[in-house]
Amino acid sequence: MSSTAALAPLPPGPGRLASLRAYGRNPATYFQAILPRYGDVLRWRGYMDMYLLNNPDDVRQVLTRAWPEFTKRNIDYRVLRQTMGEGLVTSDGDFWARQRRLMQPMFHSRIVNGFDEAINRATADLAARWRARPAQTPFALDREMGRLTFRIVGETLFGAAIEQHAEEVAALLAQTNTNPKTVAALLTLWSWLPVPSNRRFRRQLALLDGIVYGLIRDRRGSSVARQDLLGLLLAARDEHDAPMPDQQIRDEAITLLLAGHETSATALDWTFYLLGQHPSVEQRLVAELNGVLNGRAASAADLPQLPFLKQVVQESLRLYPPVWGLSRRAEEDAEFGGFRIPAGAYVVVLPYTLHRHRDWWSDPERFDPDRFSPARSEGRHSYAYLPFSAGPRACIGIGMSLLEIQLVLAQLVPQFVVRPVPGHPIVPSPSVTYRPRFGIQATAAIRSPSG
């Protein structure tokens, strides 16, 4: 980093404990509101000091060029390690780099695209249930999407039907998904404490461990090689031809299970919500899907012929990025925008605010999928849009997530008119993911042939 960093002043920001109530209600919208006052390098002093970077050039510095100097050795990842262990999301340093190299081939498009049939089967079963439900009967859209994505990740990861455990995993995920700086989450760092939340957490985690270790044990005892992700994890060999230990397979499998299931479900929640608020966009999407697919489910090979579908998903991820915030620990003094970030600082990058930066996004609160057309995307800073992070630690499952979201929408949108129930509060809640706090109550009416 710059040799002048130690001489630079600390960034501006509100006074200590200022606006704690507004921060607590929604940190994402709070920072979006105060950034114009303080600029793209901001220091917030509250429960702990945070240094927010909102300039895409600075973000690139943290996530790409200087990534070894900005680590995951902070409180957020300490909490997540209680569940995910040393999987790709939480591990760091040389160990993470080795695991990433080992696992990257598993997410080649040739392998990922082969999961389209499993995604479509699960979606078709959901569509059949929706058709059998009496018209205008409200249901919890977020729970339906959660069950769907849990089934999909179970089949693609384990090659097994594990949806009977969806409720238990959802309960574990709810605690894991708590904002890591809240008391409920911090208690998991001292799991020996005899409090009800810790007992519940240990019980749920033991259940999940039992499922995963049981599947690993059964697979090791089988002579049949499987091409699901668990099979690929078991077959992986490092540069010394050593297999991955069961503990590490467990950590990677649970990381993929929890992260993949939750982020895809949340993205689908918000996309259905946005389409319900913008029927003209929905009609255009239906026309594209019907014109290309003519009533059949899409395959991975169809997606290049469905550009507006991808733009709808990209714009939904811009407005409601499931991973709304990224954090790092500065391992040495750094300088950004003429301000000093001290060694040991908690550094924050918020895709939520980057996706609303007026230097890169006109009318940023408007749902406008055409902003991702090739003509309008040209020249946009590559670090102004980070739904899956970026740089060496970009989400390894980007291709899988986009495939899943697009195939689910391609099958359900032409068949159903999904609308939020009037009067039900839709309140975004930033914890680990950007979820609807009270869920989304919705109805799904069968779409008429005219659209």
Side-chain angles (χ1 to χ4, degrees), residues 133-412:
R133 180 184 287 128
Q136 301 305 312
T137 302
F139 63 95
L141 177 67
D142 54 302
R143 294 185 69 181
E144 295 272 72
M145 292 300 103
R147 290 193 190 98
L148 173 63
T149 59
F150 187 76
R151 173 180 168 180
I152 290 169
V153 78
E155 291 191 16
T156 57
L157 176 55
F158 299 120
I162 60 170
E163 62 263 32
Q164 69 269 27
H165 301 294
E167 294 300 325
E168 294 95 333
V169 172
L172 175 65
L173 192 60
Q175 181 146 342
T176 303
N177 199 24
T178 303
N179 190 311
K181 291 170 284 298
T182 65
V183 172
L186 290 175
L187 284 173
T188 67
L189 293 176
W190 299 281
S191 58
W192 51 267
L193 288 174
V195 296
S197 63
N198 275 347
R199 286 194 292 269
R200 185 167 58 251
F201 175 79
R202 290 195 300 270
R203 186 170 61 249
Q204 292 159 349
L205 188 57
L207 172 68
L208 186 56
D209 280 348
I211 296 167
V212 173
Y213 278 123
L215 289 164
I216 293 171
R217 185 172 56 252
D218 292 346
R219 191 68 64 84
R220 285 205 187 279
S222 172
S223 60
V224 179
R226 302 281 291 275
Q227 286 302 301
D228 51 34
L229 292 174
L230 178 58
L232 296 172
L233 287 168
L234 287 163
R237 296 293 184 272
D238 65 15
E239 64 272 21
H240 305 295
D241 200 36
M244 203 179 294
D246 283 3
Q247 173 70 50
Q248 192 59 37
I249 292 175
R250 174 264 179 213
D251 291 352
E252 301 296 0
I254 287 180
T255 295
L256 294 171
L257 176 67
L258 296 183
H261 147 63
E262 172 74 1
T263 54
S264 295
T266 302
L268 285 164
D269 292 341
W270 290 121
T271 305
F272 275 114
Y273 170 73
L274 287 165
L275 289 172
Q277 302 297 303
H278 300 85
S280 62
V281 173
E282 182 184 55
Q283 286 297 320
R284 182 176 163 191
L285 177 59
V286 170
E288 178 183 81
L289 294 170
N290 286 339
V292 173
L293 303 173
N294 196 27
R296 63 179 173 83
S299 68
D302 290 313
L303 294 183
Q305 310 306 315
L306 298 167
F308 192 64
L309 170 62
K310 183 176 182 180
Q311 290 174 207
V312 166
V313 172
Q314 289 172 307
E315 177 69 342
S316 173
L317 292 171
R318 183 187 71 82
L319 284 170
Y320 295 103
V323 180
W324 67 280
L326 310 167
S327 66
R328 297 289 188 268
R329 182 182 188 271
E331 296 298 332
E332 58 185 51
D333 282 358
E335 184 177 344
F336 294 100
F339 297 106
R340 176 168 60 93
I341 306 295
Y346 179 90
V347 180
V348 178
V349 172
L350 302 185
Y352 182 92
T353 58
L354 277 168
H355 293 181
R356 289 162 169 78
H357 200 303
R358 291 186 177 275
D359 286 353
W360 305 104
W361 309 98
S362 62
D363 196 5
E365 295 294 342
R366 185 164 64 93
F367 180 57
D368 177 15
D370 280 328
R371 70 173 83 240
F372 285 96
S373 66
R376 290 178 60 185
S377 297
E378 187 175 354
R380 184 180 297 140
H381 199 298
S382 59
Y383 279 73
Y385 182 65
L386 300 176
F388 297 101
S389 189
R393 300 207 64 148
C395 173
I396 198 171
I398 293 173
M400 179 66 186
S401 182
L402 287 174
L403 176 74
E404 180 180 4
I405 296 165
Q406 289 179 89
L407 292 184
V408 170
L409 292 170
Q411 190 171 166
L412 294 180

Side-chain angles (χ1 to χ4, degrees), residues 112-129:
V112 168
N113 288 345
F115 294 135
D116 57 358
E117 291 185 10
I119 295 168
N120 283 331
R121 280 196 307 271
T123 308
D125 288 347
L126 175 63
R129 292 196 299 274

